[in-house]
Each structure stands twice: as C-alpha cells, then as structure tokens.
Amino acid sequence: MSSLQQYLDLYAAQGETLCGASCGAMNAAREAALAGLQQHGLPTSRNERYKYTDVEAALAPDYGLNLRRTLPAVDPYKEYRCAVPHLSTSLYFVVNDVPYTVQTPTAPLPEGVLVQPLSQADPALVAAYYNREAGRKYDGVTALNTLLAQDGLLVYLPAGTVLSNPIQIVNVAAARADLMVNRRLLIVAEEGAQGVILLCEHADGQSRTLATQVTEIFVGEGANIQVNAVEETTEQHTALDNVYVHQAAASHVSYNGVTLTCGQTRHRLDFRLDGKGADMVARGVVVADGQQRVDNSLVVDHAAPSCTSDMLYKYVLDGHSVGAFAGLVLVEKGAQKSLSQQTNANICAAPTARAFSQPMLEIYADDVKCNHGSTIGKLDESALFYMRQRGIPEREARLILQQAFVGDVLRHIELERLRERLAHLVEMRFRGELSACAGCKMCR
Amino acid sequence: MLEIRNLHASVEGKEILRGVNLTIGDGEVHVLMGPNGSGKSTLSHVLVGNPKYEVTEGSITFNGKDLLSLSPEDRAHEGIFMSFQAPIEIPGVSMTNFMRAALNAKRKYFGQEPIGAGEFLKLLKEKRQLVGLDAHFMSRGVNEGFSGGERKRNEIFQMAVLQPLFSILDETDSGLDVDALRIVAEGFNMLRTPQTSAMVITHYQRMLDYLKPDFVHVLVKGRVVKEGDASLGYAIEERGFDWIREEVEE
Ligand SMILES: Nc1ncnc2c1ncn2[C@@H]1O[C@H](COP(=O)(O)OP(=O)(O)O)[C@@H](O)[C@H]1O
Ligand SMILES: [Mg+2]
C-alpha cells in the first residue's frame, strides 16, 4: 500500500478540523489536490524530477500532524540567535507549521508591506495568488501539501516599495515525537518592488521531522527580489520543498540556496519567465557527508522573448552522501533572444560519495544562446600537491580547495554580512565542526 | 646537506630513475643537466615527495634526516623548496591567503605563533619587489591568469618568502625573456647564503653565467653519467649531449 494512504485516511477523518484553522483560499484548493492525489498518487522514481528522491519512502513513517495548531512554550524571539551577526532584519518565525504571532518583530516594515499568516491576511489578496503557480501542473508533493497545509505566511510588497532591511523568515521544526509539517509561503512583489528575503531552515533533531513546503513567488513588472535560503537542519529531518516563481516583464530574481546540514532534502525550483526581458539567477551550494542526500531539480521556462537565466550549482560530497542536480531550460516557441547558462560542478571528496548531474535543454526557438555544462570529479591532485610542497598540511590544503570551489558561488551573494557568515559556516562545516545549526537554544 | 644514494624511482609502473647518486654540500649550487626525458623533473618531484612517483630503492638523507619517511609538507618545513617547471593554477585561492597558510604552517611546525598581519604584509611587499611582481598579483588566485614569465617569478617570490635551506629550480629560466631571466637569477642570488644550497635544472649558458655553479651533473636515462665544474655546463651548452652519450657507451 502506498504511503499516501495514511494521509488520505487522515484527511478523511480530520478534514474538518484541518480546514477549521485555514483561510478560504487554502480550503478551496484542497478538493482539486485530493482528486489529483487519488488519480496520480505520489511521484515515483519513473518521474524524471523525482529520480533521486524516494517520496514514498520519505512519507512512510507514521508522522503525526499538528492539527490543533499548538505552539511550543518557547518564545523564539528570546531563544533564537541569528547565526548572521550584525544583520538587521525584520524577523518572523514559523514554528513547525504555525506562524508565530505572539509578538511582533523589532525592525519595522516600510509602509504597506505586509508579513502575515495567510489565515489573518486579506482573503481577496490571498485568493488572487494562492496556488495559482503551484497548481498549474500536477506534482504529488505539492498536492499533498495543498491538501494538508493549514496556514502559512504571506509576504506582500506593494508596487514600488523598497525594503530597507531584509525580511527574515525562520522555519523551525521542533517536536518530541515524529512530526510532519506542511508549510506555505506566498510572496507577492508588485511592479517595481524591491527586497531581500532570507529563509532559514532549522530543526531541533529530537525526533524525526518531515517538512513539505510550497513557496510561490510572484514578481511583478520590473520588480527585483533576492531570496537567500539557508538550510541547517539535522540528519533527522526530511525536506520536500517546492518553489514556484512567476516573473513578469523586466523583473529580476536571484535565488541562492545553501545546504549546510540536512538529512534528506529535495528542492524543486520552477521559474517561469513570463514577460519580455525577465531575468533570473539561481545559485546553490551543497555540502553533504554521512548519509545525507540533497537533490535540486530546476526548471526554467523561457515563456517570453529576451529573458535571461543563469544557474550555478556546486556540490561537495563526502562520506556516503548523494547529491543530485537536474536542470532543465525550456525555451518556448517565440521566446527569441533567450540567453541561458547552466553550470553544475561536483566534487566527490570520498569514493563512496555519489553525484548525479543532468543539465538539459529543450529549445523551440531559433535565435537563442544556451550553454550548459557539468562536471563530477575529485579535488585537483596537482593543486593539492603544490600546496603541500609549500608546507600546507594535506587536510588544510583540501579544506582550502573545497572552500575555493564553493566560494565561487558564495561570492555572488549580495548581502555582505550573509556572504561572510556563510563563508565562515562553510569553513566550519568542512572542518567537521558543524553538524547542525550553529545558532542557539532553538535547535538544542 | 643532501645525500642521494642509489635512488630508483618509477612513475605509473615505468622505471625512470635507475640508480642516482648525488651529494650536495652546504652553501653549494649544483646544476643538473640532461636531455629531455632523462628524469630531471622526476628526481625533483621525488625529492619533494610527490605521491605520483614511487621510490623503489635507495635512500635520501637531508641534514641527517631520512627524507623519504617525511610527508611533502614536513619536507617543506625542513627547508626543501621546489620551483615547479609547470607551476599550478589554483583558482579562488588568493596568493595572499596561500602564502599566509604556507608561512603559518611552517611556524606552527616550529612551535611559533602565526605571523602578525602587519609583519606579513611587509614581508610580502619586500619579497614581491625582489622579483618585480606588482601588488595586484597578491589578490589574484594562485597563478590564475599569470603569464608564463609571471608564474616563474612567482615561484622565486614564494621561495623568497619561505626562505628554504635547499631549493630546486626546475627550468625556472625557460620561457623567460632576457630581462625576466636576469630578475629571476639575481633574485635567486640575493637569497643565497653560506647555509643554503640549490639544485638548478637549466639548459642555458646565461643562467650558468649568473649562478656560477660549484658543480654540474649530467643525467642520462635516469643515471648521473658525468660530473664536473661549471666548464662542463658550458661544454654542453656548446656541443649538446651526444658526445657524453658516446663516452658513456664506450
Ligand atoms: N607524471 C608522469 N606521468 C607519466 N610519465 C611521466 C610523468 N612524469 C614523468 N614521466 C616520464 O618520465 C620520463 C622522464 O621525465 P622527466 O622527469 O619529466 O624528464 P626531464 O625533466 O628530464 O625532461 C619521461 O619519459 C616522462 O614521459
Ligand atoms: Mg623536466
């Protein structure tokens, strides 16, 4: 029997309780999600985009759900220490899958900007965007999330607003018994809006946790949004994370995903460049060892002419870890003057680590320039020896080379404090001094 | 300083060095010559412990220590430096960070504190000027985008910073124009002391002029077949190696 059945049974039994905590738009989307799940089920390894992540197995444990929406007794504003010092942000927490609203953050938001639980936001605003991008094509994980999610956060940047501080959203999975959390994040940036969003993933590692997360980002004409997603969870944590980005003309999005520690993680990132001159950059750094598995599956759909896409993902895999990268650039008919660059480079630091890399192109226009490349290899032995000849001990030399390898991605991160901090965390990670979040009591 | 006895070494299963004997005393400069493929670079790599090269027989003693039992990094700390025939490019690792890591590793080996920031920058500047490398090279990746000549100068710069007891210069002069050769050779000469020695691999008379070597050795097919003073070097520069090969065959 499919792992899915227990969740369908749960929905059948508890649907009413579950809907009781949610807004109209969330409840309205459930029926189609349920029908989809009943018809198509969960993705299997035959599905190109789930080749390296066994969703059935990930969902098999008997996870509980937080149907009653209880919050742990801790006050995250007191307990949480951001791992990025001297970075002033407007800070929000989602504890398990409940937006924490007991207290409001310190740094105020510019006029008109909203960060609210979906359950408390303007229903018309939520209904205008919720599941619009995520629901376009069937995805079993997105459907399951749509069926079970009870709340989420809305980030709303009205036309022309410019964030002075980044908005930081910290997701913490903390539970004494095996727990599944289902989160939604809806980011709406209207025409010309600009801002930086920092997403931090944490887990306390006390018991097994599974997070399904669906993020939709709507970027209006000429808007400029930067998302930095940093993952510092534990080996007990599974993340099934689907991100859908819709971009209007002349908009710009840069997405930086850094996986420092995790158990099993899968990111699906779909970008739709849906207006002339839209521009996106996605970069990723993955550091994995032990039994960790990290799978990034990207699709960039050039649906309009003169759009640009740029992807750069680098993995350093040690131990028995598995890293997968799949990137598909789809240039639709009529999307002339598309420019695309896709690079994935992997270092297997141990012979037991495995990397899978699959950059792909599907082009239906003739006047385009698309490049892609991928490499899987070891550290450069001649560079290693050169350093040792100069007296740098082998371990240190390996560390320096690995850092330089991923530093090539990190150097693009525009937030200086974050860039420096991530470089430091990556170094600690390579030194073996970081096995989970380096932060605070929240993850202890 | 250095004593090589009956050294046999192979690379990828192929024997390249077939019984090398060579002794280098304190303060001496030795020139190693030989046709292409005779094993000069192989000998250099074996001395610095490149794991690609396998020593199958023989011994190397360096200042009383069994060199073959030391790791490459410990050999470096003990004072052995090699200027690579083909210096390696390390993108993303700045020259400054590279040199700091190397210098501090050595200090740690001798139980010293890491070098202070000010002292370090002063040292880099002084040594850079010795070989005429501009400041901007220090913020670039190691040899990243350096021309052939700049790479060779960079090797001597690193030697100047690390102050080895024994230096191996593997064709550091090849590919250099007259001016660059002078800068490299004069830089090298300025670093010489009565305690430091060197093994210099070269094909050029001009280099012999600058270095005034104490001894010249000729390596053919993995063996030292002829030895002499600087005049042997000039003879080879003039007449090539064939006459030596013939002598050996007789
Ligand atoms: N890393 C290596 N892999 C394979 N063969 C090598 C390697 N290094 C040297 N050799 C071989 O060893 C022989 C000697 O080379 P080398 O020591 O470079 O000579 P030289 O420096 O005197 O020109 C040549 O036949 C060369 O092809
Ligand atoms: Mg050579």
Side-chain angles (χ1 to χ4, degrees):
Chain A
M1 193 178 68
S2 166
S3 314
L4 177 62
Q5 197 55 47
Q6 59 170 325
Y7 301 98
L8 297 181
D9 291 347
L10 178 115
Y11 182 73
Q14 303 283 342
E16 221 166 293
T17 316
L18 198 144
C19 292
S22 303
C23 64
M26 291 187 82
N27 290 334
R30 292 189 213 280
E31 203 172 304
L34 179 62
L37 284 166
Q38 282 164 339
Q39 193 187 339
H40 307 288
L42 294 174
T44 66
S45 61
R46 267 166 311 181
N47 182 325
E48 268 300 314
R49 299 200 66 180
Y50 285 91
K51 227 165 149 179
Y52 302 106
T53 298
D54 187 343
V55 177
E56 278 283 348
L59 288 167
D62 183 16
Y63 288 110
L65 270 79
N66 183 13
L67 290 174
R68 275 171 295 134
R69 321 302 295 150
T70 51
L71 275 169
V74 296
D75 176 352
Y77 287 99
K78 287 206 187 101
E79 302 290 319
Y80 181 77
R81 285 286 166 286
C82 179
V84 189
H86 314 298
L87 182 72
S88 172
T89 64
S90 303
L91 179 62
Y92 298 85
F93 290 94
V94 177
V95 180
N96 293 324
D97 46 17
V98 185
Y100 189 90
T101 50
V102 179
Q103 196 186 313
T104 45
T106 40
L109 295 168
E111 182 81 30
V113 174
L114 303 171
V115 181
Q116 293 175 315
L118 292 170
S119 57
Q120 290 166 28
D122 171 6
L125 181 60
V126 175
Y129 292 99
Y130 185 82
N131 218 39
R132 203 176 89 188
E133 203 58 27
R136 279 182 82 235
K137 287 185 197 137
Y138 180 77
D139 174 292
V141 170
T142 295
L144 186 63
N145 174 283
T146 307
L147 182 71
L148 299 177
Q150 291 173 274
D151 204 352
L153 274 183
L154 167 73
V155 175
Y156 174 66
L157 277 58
T161 46
V162 178
L163 288 182
S164 41
N165 290 314
I167 290 175
Q168 182 178 13
I169 298 170
V170 179
N171 287 305
V172 186
R176 296 226 177 84
D178 293 354
L179 181 73
M180 175 199 219
V181 304
N182 299 292
R183 302 177 181 135
R184 292 295 285 223
L185 176 60
L186 184 56
I187 300 173
V188 178
E190 291 182 344
E191 311 86 77
Q194 291 179 33
V196 176
I197 292 163
L198 178 56
L199 303 173
C200 304
E201 295 295 327
H202 295 267
D204 73 354
Q206 283 191 61
S207 17
R208 280 189 296 184
T209 45
L210 166 79
T212 74
Q213 179 153 306
V214 174
T215 302
E216 291 173 278
I217 307 176
F218 295 90
V219 188
E221 199 171 319
N224 184 339
I225 296 298
Q226 200 191 109
V227 179
N228 300 292
V230 183
E231 215 172 337
E232 285 179 87
T233 64
T234 71
E235 295 192 353
Q236 299 271 72
H237 189 72
T238 301
L240 298 173
D241 176 37
N242 288 353
V243 179
Y244 299 87
V245 184
H246 179 268
Q247 292 187 235
S251 63
H252 174 79
V253 171
S254 63
Y255 185 98
N256 300 306
V258 179
T259 302
L260 284 170
T261 56
C262 70
Q264 177 175 10
T265 283
R266 181 184 178 278
H267 298 290
R268 171 190 176 135
L269 294 157
D270 285 24
F271 291 83
R272 194 147 66 97
L273 305 175
D274 200 19
K276 196 176 173 191
D279 170 21
M280 66 72 67
V281 184
R283 303 185 194 94
V285 168
V286 172
V287 184
D289 59 6
Q291 302 292 329
Q292 297 170 356
R293 299 180 70 99
V294 184
D295 175 0
N296 282 294
S297 166
L298 279 76
V299 171
V300 179
D301 178 359
H302 283 252
S306 304
C307 293
T308 312
S309 60
D310 184 0
M311 278 154 277
L312 174 63
Y313 274 72
K314 289 198 167 187
Y315 291 52
V316 178
L317 305 166
D318 208 338
H320 288 80
S321 65
V322 178
F325 172 88
L328 169 66
V329 172
L330 168 67
V331 180
E332 292 190 29
K333 206 166 156 237
Q336 302 297 2
K337 307 241 179 280
S338 291
L339 277 180
S340 175
Q341 172 68 41
Q342 194 184 165
T343 307
N344 171 232
N346 300 274
I347 286 180
C348 290
T352 42
R354 278 180 301 155
F356 300 94
S357 178
Q358 200 176 12
M360 291 164 285
L361 290 170
E362 219 178 295
I363 301 175
Y364 301 101
D366 45 28
D367 182 13
V368 303
K369 224 169 159 176
C370 299
N371 291 312
H372 67 333
S374 93
T375 57
I376 299 175
K378 295 190 299 180
L379 281 180
D380 180 353
E381 292 291 334
S382 54
L384 203 56
F385 179 68
Y386 189 68
M387 298 175 88
R388 295 179 73 190
Q389 203 303 300
R390 298 307 188 237
I392 303 172
E394 183 174 3
R395 197 177 122 82
E396 185 78 16
R398 283 187 185 280
L399 193 96
I400 292 172
L401 289 178
Q402 288 177 343
Q403 264 178 275
F405 178 73
V406 298
D408 181 38
V409 181
L410 295 178
R411 72 192 164 92
H412 294 284
I413 292 178
E414 286 157 66
L415 275 180
E416 190 188 345
R417 303 274 188 209
L418 180 65
R419 187 175 64 235
E420 286 168 358
R421 185 62 186 176
L422 285 173
H424 175 71
L425 290 175
V426 162
E427 181 182 340
M428 280 176 68
R429 179 71 171 90
F430 285 138
R431 284 189 191 279
E433 292 160 9
L434 187 73
S435 58
C437 152
C440 58
K441 282 190 254 171
M442 286 293 287
C443 296
R444 290 291 141 78
Chain B
M1 173 158 305
L2 183 75
E3 199 166 321
I4 304 171
R5 284 282 160 266
N6 188 33
L7 185 68
H8 291 252
S10 50
V11 57
E12 287 170 7
K14 195 170 89 180
E15 182 166 67
I16 308 294
L17 301 183
R18 302 182 303 141
V20 174
N21 291 294
L22 196 68
T23 303
I24 294 179
D26 291 353
E28 295 173 358
V29 170
H30 291 234
V31 161
L32 185 65
M33 301 179 98
N36 275 335
S38 59
K40 303 181 297 294
S41 292
T42 300
L43 176 60
S44 309
H45 279 276
V46 167
L47 286 170
V48 293
N50 189 332
K52 267 200 204 156
Y53 297 80
E54 193 197 351
V55 174
T56 50
E57 208 183 323
S59 68
I60 309 174
T61 317
F62 181 68
N63 287 332
K65 291 202 166 81
D66 171 17
L67 196 68
L68 294 175
S69 69
L70 298 181
S71 67
E73 42 271 47
D74 285 353
R75 294 182 199 198
H77 298 146
E78 289 293 333
I80 299 187
F81 178 91
M82 173 162 94
S83 165
F84 284 58
Q85 182 171 2
I88 310 293
E89 192 175 312
I90 315 178
V93 178
S94 75
M95 273 305 297
T96 304
N97 287 343
F98 178 66
M99 289 321 293
R100 190 189 293 114
L103 205 58
N104 283 338
K106 182 174 180 181
R107 292 170 74 105
K108 190 173 171 189
Y109 184 77
F110 289 108
Q112 295 168 325
E113 291 292 305
I115 189 167
E119 193 189 339
F120 175 64
L121 290 177
K122 213 178 109 209
L123 179 71
L124 287 196
K125 187 173 176 192
E126 180 193 321
K127 304 303 183 187
R128 256 197 312 105
Q129 286 169 345
L130 189 76
V131 294
L133 270 185
D134 275 354
H136 74 265
F137 287 104
M138 297 299 111
S139 51
R140 282 212 219 156
V142 175
N143 291 320
E144 199 178 357
F146 287 35
S147 71
E150 285 158 357
R151 286 180 186 211
K152 297 301 176 79
R153 272 195 253 179
N154 189 19
E155 296 291 286
I156 300 302
F157 161 73
Q158 294 174 44
M159 177 184 157
V161 173
L162 295 170
Q163 299 188 329
L165 290 172
F166 177 65
S167 310
I168 303 162
L169 269 58
D170 189 357
E171 300 201 22
T172 304
D173 51 1
S174 57
L176 294 184
D177 61 32
V178 181
D179 288 333
L181 179 77
R182 180 179 49 76
I183 292 168
V184 163
E186 284 177 356
F188 172 82
N189 278 339
M190 266 186 269
L191 297 169
R192 282 177 72 173
T193 74
Q195 286 78 44
T196 56
S197 312
M199 182 177 96
V200 179
I201 298 167
T202 182
H203 296 293
Y204 297 113
Q205 170 235 320
R206 215 179 270 279
M207 197 65 169
L208 298 171
D209 293 345
Y210 280 118
L211 296 183
K212 304 191 175 45
D214 302 294
F215 298 95
V216 173
H217 312 264
V218 182
L219 196 67
V220 174
K221 292 187 183 153
R223 281 201 190 98
V224 175
V225 297
K226 198 169 178 65
E227 293 174 304
D229 58 17
S231 63
L232 174 60
Y234 289 104
I236 290 170
E237 162 75 21
E238 206 179 299
R239 300 165 58 194
F241 290 106
D242 286 348
W243 62 281
I244 297 179
R245 284 201 188 97
E246 281 159 22
E247 262 185 37
V248 174
E249 272 153 32
E250 279 162 19

